[in-house]
Amino acid sequence: MSSRGVAVDNSDAGALRKGRWEEGLYMLLFASSSSVSPGLVVVVFRNRPSLFSLLPLPPLIMAAVRTLRKLCQHSQHQVCKLHTSASRQEAVVISGKKLARQIREEARADVEKWVIAGHRRPHLSVVLVGDNPASHSYVLNKTRAAADVGISSETILKHSDISEEELLDLIYKLNTDHRVDGLLVQLPLPDHIDERAICNAVAPTKDVDGFHVVNVGRMCLDQSTMLPATPWGVMEIIKRTGIPTLGKNVVVAGRSKNVGMPIAMLLHTDGRHERPGGDATVTISHRYTPKEQLRQHTKIADIIVAAAGIPNLITADMIKEGAAVIDVGINRVQDPVTGKNRLVGDVDFEAVRQKAGFITPVPGGVGPMTVAMLMKNTIKAAKNVLLYPPERIRMAAAS
């Protein structure tokens, strides 16, 4: 049936008869008897105009039609329209807290299963040097998370004037202590201590940060290993949110050895290997990448990972509609209104969320995931005892 050149779409009519109005009823028009045949309804369904007559409409819609007809009767030639805006919705804000809670529940179940099987409860040792407030806050979050999932932990505090040799001696003792499963030294360290030397001193099998050169090398070779917690957390966000990576364009803003580089490595490597990667096409930018060149890459990117430590580095004009934006940045800036310091990421959150498809907030995005993945690594370290007897751990620590 057709009238005035508008055709009835039978498939749409079938959908309407089944009551699936929520699938795409965006606009309903009712015309008075002077302009179109009485009782004729024009519907924009799934963005297509269709004409329906004598449909068995749901009572609620029939009532709306009767009301519209009364409103239109005051003018013989007027057509009254009811329009629901089809303007684009804001991005889905990914809650890192919710995802982290899910992962911690998995970790808790894993720990209990391990203990019930007759094994010792996993233990995490954290070495904290100096009095950096942010470091103390991060360590507290880690030990609280450990308690939440059933992992025992300890924090070993050392003064900022500790020598590198003294710190190395402490790490050696913890490496050879069979009661310690996971070991991390909180970064950053005082300037007089070589961070790379400290990271490489931690036994690879206890290196829950994933910073030892052996673990970094295994990651780059797509082999199973201790993955750095923040990059692994980013991958879990992407995976658990259902954001596709295979064949997609990705920009990683930042090339740090602990965050930017591992994220790029995990995203671009082969998904069929022992340690599956994302099979994406990855571009890495850094401090010497001109802003306009960065913009050229981000405007075609399906996924943007901002990990440069620069507030508002990624703005709305730099991304394409529907892109996924993962903000790893943690920057403390002064609020112009309150004068107090507040945390912001590398992304102009409020503007970008109007254009992106997915976005993570700061705080509450990647941060909680980092802590959750650290718990996963601690459990993996406890299980490594079965694969790496104490003799091999001592050999690795001495190498």
Side-chain angles (χ1 to χ4, degrees):
M1 178 183 68
S2 66
S3 175
R4 293 184 175 269
V6 183
V8 170
D9 187 318
N10 290 329
S11 62
D12 284 350
L16 289 170
R17 287 193 182 98
K18 293 177 182 177
R20 299 203 303 268
W21 296 91
E22 71 279 3
E23 289 187 9
L25 181 58
Y26 299 116
M27 186 166 65
L28 173 69
L29 295 86
F30 180 82
S32 67
S33 57
S34 59
S35 55
V36 189
S37 301
L40 211 56
V41 180
V42 181
V43 175
V44 176
F45 191 76
R46 301 195 189 106
N47 292 323
R48 294 176 299 179
S50 300
L51 188 65
F52 301 96
S53 179
L54 301 178
L55 285 173
L57 301 176
L60 192 60
I61 301 299
M62 287 294 293
V65 170
R66 285 194 293 269
T67 301
L68 286 168
R69 186 173 186 179
K70 289 179 182 178
L71 291 172
C72 293
Q73 284 176 347
H74 74 276
S75 172
Q76 190 175 14
H77 301 289
Q78 183 180 14
V79 175
C80 182
K81 299 180 181 180
L82 175 65
H83 183 215
T84 303
S85 175
S87 61
R88 191 187 176 282
Q89 293 183 344
E90 292 182 351
V92 173
V93 178
I94 303 170
S95 174
K97 290 182 179 179
K98 289 183 179 179
L99 289 176
R101 190 157 49 244
Q102 181 184 47
I103 292 169
R104 280 161 65 161
E105 288 173 358
E106 295 169 5
R108 188 182 305 111
D110 206 2
V111 168
E112 290 312 307
K113 184 178 179 181
W114 178 254
V115 172
I116 290 172
H119 301 290
R120 178 178 44 79
R121 189 171 295 278
H123 180 82
L124 172 66
S125 291
V126 182
V127 178
L128 177 55
V129 179
D131 53 6
N132 184 315
S135 292
H136 279 258
S137 177
Y138 296 149
V139 168
L140 182 60
N141 287 339
K142 292 169 184 178
T143 54
R144 283 176 174 171
D148 179 59
V149 302
I151 294 172
S152 65
S153 68
E154 65 176 336
T155 302
I156 303 171
L157 298 173
K158 292 296 177 180
H159 198 271
S160 59
D161 62 3
I162 186 175
S163 69
E164 183 174 310
E165 185 177 357
E166 289 174 317
L167 186 55
L168 288 171
D169 286 342
L170 172 61
I171 292 171
Y172 176 77
K173 290 177 182 177
L174 295 170
N175 281 341
T176 54
D177 187 341
H178 73 278
R179 297 168 298 179
V180 176
D181 298 303
L183 170 60
L184 72 87
V185 180
Q186 183 65 39
L187 304 180
L189 292 169
D191 292 339
H192 67 278
I193 298 176
D194 182 349
E195 287 188 355
R196 177 41 53 194
I198 298 303
C199 290
N200 285 341
V202 177
T205 53
K206 296 191 177 187
D207 173 34
V208 292
D209 266 336
F211 293 164
H212 191 284
V213 65
V214 168
N215 288 326
V216 173
R218 289 181 64 87
M219 177 191 67
C220 292
L221 293 173
D222 301 355
Q223 295 178 347
S224 179
T225 189
M226 295 282 195
L227 295 175
T230 296
W232 191 12
V234 169
M235 287 298 291
E236 284 297 307
I237 287 174
I238 292 172
K239 175 183 173 182
R240 292 176 185 246
T241 307
I243 299 169
T245 58
L246 192 148
K248 299 297 183 181
N249 287 319
V250 177
V251 170
V252 177
R255 61 179 178 182
S256 72
K257 297 299 179 272
N258 296 339
V259 181
M261 184 276 287
I263 289 173
M265 190 63 62
L266 294 175
L267 280 165
H268 95 269
T269 45
D270 198 321
R272 300 169 299 176
H273 287 176
E274 180 183 329
R275 193 273 301 146
D279 285 312
T281 302
V282 179
T283 300
I284 305 176
S285 70
H286 47 75
R287 71 180 67 185
Y288 299 113
T289 305
K291 188 67 177 283
E292 189 51 43
Q293 185 177 334
L294 173 61
R295 187 193 314 274
Q296 291 174 8
H297 290 295
T298 56
K299 284 184 75 70
I300 63 170
D302 303 294
I303 302 171
I304 299 170
V305 181
I310 302 174
N312 293 330
L313 172 67
I314 305 299
T315 52
D317 62 310
M318 297 174 67
I319 73 166
K320 71 176 185 179
E321 291 273 353
V325 181
I326 311 297
D327 194 349
V328 188
I330 301 177
N331 309 289
R332 286 175 170 81
V333 300
Q334 189 176 57
D335 192 301
V337 178
T338 65
K340 297 180 180 179
N341 286 338
R342 63 186 180 93
L343 283 181
V344 299
D346 290 358
V347 176
D348 183 359
F349 181 81
E350 291 301 332
V352 171
R353 73 185 297 187
Q354 306 295 328
K355 195 174 180 181
F358 296 90
I359 190 169
T360 61
V362 176
V366 175
M369 292 293 290
T370 297
V371 178
M373 304 323 294
L374 186 67
M375 299 304 105
K376 286 276 197 176
N377 268 347
T378 303
I379 298 168
K380 185 183 293 187
K383 294 181 178 181
N384 273 342
V385 173
L386 300 178
L387 304 175
Y388 300 92
E391 294 77 14
R392 291 185 64 182
I393 292 178
R394 280 194 289 271
M395 290 174 60
S399 63

